[in-house]
Amino acid sequence: MTLQLLPGTPNHLGARHDGNGTNFAVFSAHATQIDLCIFSDSGVVETDRVPLPERTGHVWHGYAPGLAPGTLYGFRAHGTYAPDQGHRFNPNKLLMDPYTRELRGTWPNSDLILGYDRKSDKLDLSFDERDSASVVPKSVISDPELFSRIEERPDCDWHDALIYEAHVKGLTQEHPSVPEAVKGTYEGLASDAMLEHLQKLGVTAVELLPVHSFIDDGFLVDRGLRNYWGYNTIGFFAPEPRYYGPQGLLGFRNMVRKFHAHNIKVILDVVYNHTAEGDHRGPTLSYRGLDNASYYRLISGQPRYYVNDTGCGNTLNVAHPQVLRMVMDSLRFWVQQMGVDGFRFDLATTLAREDHGFDRYGGFFDALRQDPVLSDVRLIAEPWDVGPGGYRLGEFPSEFSEWNDGFRDTVRRYWRGDSHSAQELGARLLGSAGQFDKDGRRAWSSVNFVTSHDGFTLADVTRYNERHNEANGENGADGHHSNLSDNGGVEGETDDPEIRRRRSKRQRNILATLFLSQGTPMLLAGDEIGNSQQGNNNAYCQDNPIGWVNWENPDEELLEFVHQLSQFRRDHKSLRQSRFLHGAERPADGHPDVEWTDFRGGPMQWRDPGLSRFCLTLRCSAEAAPGESDGDVVFLIFNRDEETAEVKLPDTPQGQHWVCAFDTAATDVFPFCKTGGDTITSQGRSVIGLVAKSDEQTT
């Protein structure tokens, strides 16, 4: 029997079941007709095809009485096929509902999903008449009971945060203590073994690589590879089903609940800058077929082609009101229905682009900042894209934190021995105030990292000078060519005990620098156990042991070091302040909140290009509220020279003395022992941390 549709409502986009039937609403400003297509439970047979009966403004809608959750569906859009005018309507192509919360099936590597005939001399100007419904996934009418609101949230301040960047599958796929049935799944991520590990590290937030449904690029499939990282989004509301475990979609919500129960927040890496439909040669899967000219930014005067500020073939047009609405609806969905606590915006500069260029007060940011739901979550920008003037570190609104690649590069240069890097490191240790101390921003605005998913792991920073990306199938030409790394004299693995010792110490020094800096530290999953990608610095397509964290022979000493280092940071407020430090005098005791000295206790000579060592004393900010500025004093010694040197210790308050909390060059890295006299020995290439303690505290 043919499906009968009532007018329905345009108010709620997507498929919305109300207990008696389902309302469908989809945006298209340029279509002439939108068909709703219903499929059998197998997804193979198209049982009904009915035009949506009403159009209100640019929203097409209809209501299907009796249509139940679990029903599979899709859309077909009629209109002009004129790529040179920016329109690519082709009703032969079944289209995903942009608002679907579930997908059934997997995306194929097939010419059937192209809106044009690949073999034609006209290329994408040609028109393909073959039906794609037999090969594409189907949208699913979701049961609203699956998406009740998640209200409970962890109670931890962002200025106390330690972010742990992880891949859902890669973190657990080879973990021996994660149950086999949930390895590589949302459920596995919140397994008891992983929760114990994260809590030992002091992690307060996990930042997950993309979990929005995404597609394996055709060129990767042709090479026998997959899109592992997931920066190829197609569905902004649907969790990626390849990470489903026994609980299916509920596994994500239950993962979030378990993290929250252990006081760990969840941040999603989200890709709203482009879609998986690619450039003019890409497939017609959803947005391109529904309204290409509205969903994408097209080149002025040449609308056949796409603006490519992302380097991924197209750019989503978030300046369009309906596209902006979709993005905002998606963000709210992940917060309210899925329990997410924050977002890291991939290529965030793209989202700030208006017709006149980058605008930190553009439409997307205006909408985001005033939204009552989103104003209470952590917002993190990746402050660049590949378009003109794309690098924008420090230029995002004050509500945002930003990935600070300048921190990463400076720390690597310093420990590699580059000239002038000590001066740069001084600024990075204090939260990169030159970039962020404006517009009322806080020190946690700088997300400090030394490694991330994109690039070498920490172990590989100390093992490889060159990238080794041959497995990616691009003759080793992909990935960053400059890694600011140092292999210690041998490329890759070695049995030389001296080189191995130096590499281990360098990892400790880099990690110590990260945890001792003002700002928000972010740790790459696996760095705490010495995980290696065998020199691959672009493992985006390595859904295999290259890209997965290897738990077989973890570096237990390094893991314990990170545990102790994280605890040291948590124990000392002076290391995780929300205000920037500029050496201002503290009213409580007349001491500056930060003080730089050389190894003799004198003032620093910052103009020395060969400067390689320095000390700094940290106290709580002079602007701190009463009670926040009491007591905590930390003295840090950075020395990248080979030679051992004596360091003059500053005076302590009466009744206190210096306690050596850690020394990255010592056999016992965390001795927590009282120093004797007014000096301490700094061994070559090391970081030392001391704290002022009373006799009672030491005991």
Side-chain angles (χ1 to χ4, degrees):
M1 185 176 69
T2 302
L3 184 71
Q4 299 294 318
L5 294 182
L6 302 177
T9 174
N11 295 337
H12 302 288
L13 293 173
R16 188 181 182 95
H17 183 72
D18 62 6
N20 298 308
T22 301
N23 190 82
F24 296 90
V26 62
F27 159 75
S28 180
H30 297 99
T32 58
Q33 177 179 311
I34 301 288
D35 295 339
L36 170 65
C37 304
I38 304 298
F39 289 83
S40 63
D41 291 345
S42 66
V44 175
V45 179
E46 184 175 344
T47 60
D48 288 280
R49 184 186 303 187
V50 186
L52 290 175
E54 293 291 335
R55 175 177 178 173
T56 302
H58 299 316
V59 177
W60 302 76
H61 52 96
Y63 181 86
L67 204 59
T71 301
L72 308 185
Y73 73 99
F75 295 121
R76 298 180 189 271
H78 300 258
T80 302
Y81 188 84
D84 54 353
Q85 299 174 30
H87 301 303
R88 296 177 179 268
F89 293 101
N90 187 337
N92 299 300
K93 306 304 169 182
L94 187 73
L95 306 175
M96 181 198 76
D97 180 358
Y99 275 70
T100 188
R101 299 178 179 186
E102 299 178 74
L103 283 169
R104 187 77 52 79
T106 57
W107 294 100
N109 182 28
S110 168
D111 284 355
L112 289 178
I113 62 178
L114 300 177
Y116 64 94
D117 182 356
R118 189 195 293 272
K119 298 177 182 178
S120 171
D121 293 339
K122 294 182 179 180
L123 301 175
D124 64 301
L125 297 178
S126 63
F127 185 81
D128 187 74
E129 297 182 351
R130 295 173 297 171
D131 197 312
S132 68
S134 64
V135 298
V136 299
K138 309 304 185 292
S139 302
V140 182
I141 299 176
S142 293
D143 184 346
E145 294 299 318
L146 292 175
F147 299 101
S148 59
R149 289 196 178 188
I150 296 178
E151 303 287 356
E152 63 277 7
R153 304 280 170 174
D155 182 21
C156 52
D157 293 329
W158 283 116
H159 67 262
D160 294 332
L162 169 57
I163 297 175
Y164 188 81
E165 192 198 21
H167 186 281
V168 174
K169 181 178 182 180
L171 183 59
T172 65
Q173 186 64 33
E174 295 196 318
H175 197 293
S177 299
V178 173
E180 198 66 34
V182 297
K183 286 185 176 182
T185 70
Y186 300 120
E187 296 150 70
L189 202 61
S191 61
D192 291 344
M194 289 314 311
L195 289 169
E196 180 182 353
H197 180 76
L198 295 173
Q199 288 195 297
K200 178 177 181 178
L201 294 175
V203 169
T204 65
V206 290
E207 182 177 306
L208 301 180
L209 268 66
V211 299
H212 290 174
S213 58
F214 61 89
I215 294 175
D216 293 318
D217 314 67
F219 72 91
L220 290 177
V221 176
D222 290 340
R223 297 177 192 165
L225 299 170
R226 304 180 71 186
N227 189 314
Y228 171 58
W229 285 350
Y231 293 91
N232 203 30
T233 300
I234 190 61
F236 296 111
F237 295 80
E240 173 51 46
R242 71 184 72 186
Y243 304 139
Y244 283 173
Q247 299 175 11
L249 184 147
L250 283 176
F252 185 94
R253 284 166 53 91
N254 291 335
M255 172 199 74
V256 171
R257 285 194 169 105
K258 286 190 72 174
F259 277 134
H260 285 179
H262 289 78
N263 214 32
I264 297 173
K265 297 188 177 186
V266 178
I267 300 171
L268 297 188
D269 196 334
V270 289
V271 187
Y272 294 110
N273 55 78
H274 75 282
T275 78
E277 291 184 310
D279 63 12
H280 60 288
R281 299 160 297 183
T284 297
L285 308 173
S286 180
Y287 316 97
R288 173 174 282 138
L290 285 169
D291 195 345
N292 184 67
S294 294
Y295 276 106
Y296 295 111
R297 292 177 57 211
L298 307 179
I299 295 178
S300 179
Q302 295 181 294
R304 175 184 176 186
Y305 303 107
Y306 297 80
V307 172
N308 189 21
D309 291 329
T310 65
C312 300
N314 64 56
T315 302
L316 202 63
N317 185 17
V318 294
H320 190 286
Q322 284 289 347
V323 181
L324 177 60
R325 175 184 174 181
M326 178 186 72
V327 173
M328 298 299 292
D329 286 346
S330 169
L331 290 168
R332 283 189 291 266
F333 166 76
W334 286 96
V335 172
Q336 294 180 308
Q337 274 69 46
M338 305 302 274
V340 167
D341 305 288
F343 302 96
R344 180 264 193 190
F345 294 92
D346 179 65
L347 302 181
T349 296
T350 298
L351 303 176
R353 289 188 182 275
E354 303 285 334
D355 289 341
H356 55 274
F358 177 87
D359 187 347
R360 68 196 299 259
Y361 300 113
F364 173 73
F365 291 141
D366 285 347
L368 195 64
R369 295 161 73 197
Q370 62 77 42
D371 190 279
V373 173
L374 302 176
S375 62
D376 196 35
V377 302
R378 185 74 181 261
L379 306 174
I380 302 173
E382 181 184 42
W384 54 78
D385 65 14
V386 302
Y391 189 75
R392 296 286 176 170
L393 179 67
E395 298 183 34
F396 282 76
S398 58
E399 291 84 354
F400 276 78
S401 300
E402 301 177 35
W403 267 32
N404 189 348
D405 63 328
F407 181 93
R408 174 199 64 199
D409 294 349
T410 298
V411 173
R412 291 189 187 186
R413 279 198 293 262
Y414 175 77
W415 289 110
R416 191 174 67 169
D418 294 11
S419 61
H420 298 286
S421 57
Q423 291 86 342
E424 294 178 26
L425 183 61
R428 302 303 180 194
L429 287 168
L430 297 186
S432 299
Q435 284 73 39
F436 294 106
D437 190 8
K438 54 189 174 184
D439 197 27
R441 300 185 79 172
R442 296 294 188 138
W444 47 253
S445 298
S446 175
V447 176
N448 301 328
F449 63 100
V450 291
T451 56
S452 68
H453 69 275
D454 188 5
F456 278 157
T457 66
L458 179 61
D460 289 352
V461 168
T462 67
R463 295 179 186 178
Y464 296 92
N465 286 349
E466 306 296 335
R467 59 192 172 186
H468 294 269
N469 299 351
E470 292 76 15
N472 295 357
E474 298 181 41
N475 298 316
D478 62 302
H480 301 292
H481 67 277
S482 176
N483 298 285
L484 303 174
S485 56
D486 181 4
N487 64 19
V490 174
E491 187 76 351
E493 296 292 341
T494 180
D495 293 327
D496 187 307
E498 178 58 22
I499 293 178
R500 290 170 65 92
R501 184 191 66 79
R502 293 181 62 181
R503 288 176 175 178
S504 295
K505 185 163 67 169
R506 190 154 175 260
Q507 290 181 52
R508 293 195 297 272
N509 288 335
I510 290 174
L511 287 167
T513 308
L514 173 65
F515 278 84
L516 298 173
S517 296
Q518 305 297 325
T520 303
M522 185 183 81
L523 181 68
L524 174 64
D527 276 357
E528 72 276 17
I529 59 170
N531 182 60
S532 171
Q533 292 178 168
Q534 296 141 51
N536 192 315
N537 74 350
N538 190 32
Y540 77 104
C541 56
Q542 298 300 324
D543 188 4
N544 53 53
I546 292 176
W548 304 336
V549 175
N550 181 2
W551 296 92
E552 185 176 356
N553 294 299
D555 186 334
E556 296 289 355
E557 290 185 359
L558 183 61
L559 176 60
E560 181 59 23
F561 173 76
V562 176
H563 161 60
Q564 296 280 3
L565 193 60
S566 177
Q567 184 64 55
F568 182 74
R569 179 180 175 88
R570 292 197 301 276
D571 288 344
H572 296 283
K573 282 188 176 182
S574 59
L575 296 174
R576 45 184 177 82
Q577 302 191 53
S578 62
R579 295 170 175 82
F580 290 95
L581 307 178
H582 295 287
E585 184 178 295
R586 305 189 328 155
D589 55 18
H591 289 298
D593 50 26
V594 62
E595 191 171 5
W596 301 91
T597 52
D598 62 20
F599 275 29
R600 298 183 301 275
M604 288 296 304
Q605 301 299 317
W606 291 110
R607 294 180 181 274
D608 179 4
L611 183 66
S612 58
R613 61 192 195 186
F614 55 82
C615 309
L616 71 157
T617 305
L618 293 168
R619 304 176 180 89
C620 286
S621 168
E623 299 177 4
E628 292 183 9
S629 59
D630 299 336
D632 189 36
V633 184
V634 175
F635 182 64
L636 303 176
I637 304 168
F638 288 82
N639 180 9
R640 73 160 184 233
D641 285 349
E642 291 283 1
E643 296 80 16
T644 297
E646 292 297 308
V647 180
K648 175 71 167 63
L649 298 174
D651 295 333
T652 58
Q654 187 173 1
Q656 292 187 328
H657 54 262
W658 289 112
V659 171
C660 180
F662 69 88
D663 181 346
T664 61
T667 303
D668 182 6
V669 178
F670 282 87
F672 205 80
C673 61
K674 181 177 178 180
T675 59
D678 60 356
T679 64
I680 189 171
T681 301
S682 169
Q683 300 181 52
R685 298 190 178 275
S686 66
V687 182
I688 300 176
L690 300 97
V691 292
K693 295 288 185 181
S694 65
D695 289 332
E696 292 80 4
Q697 289 174 311
T698 305
T699 303

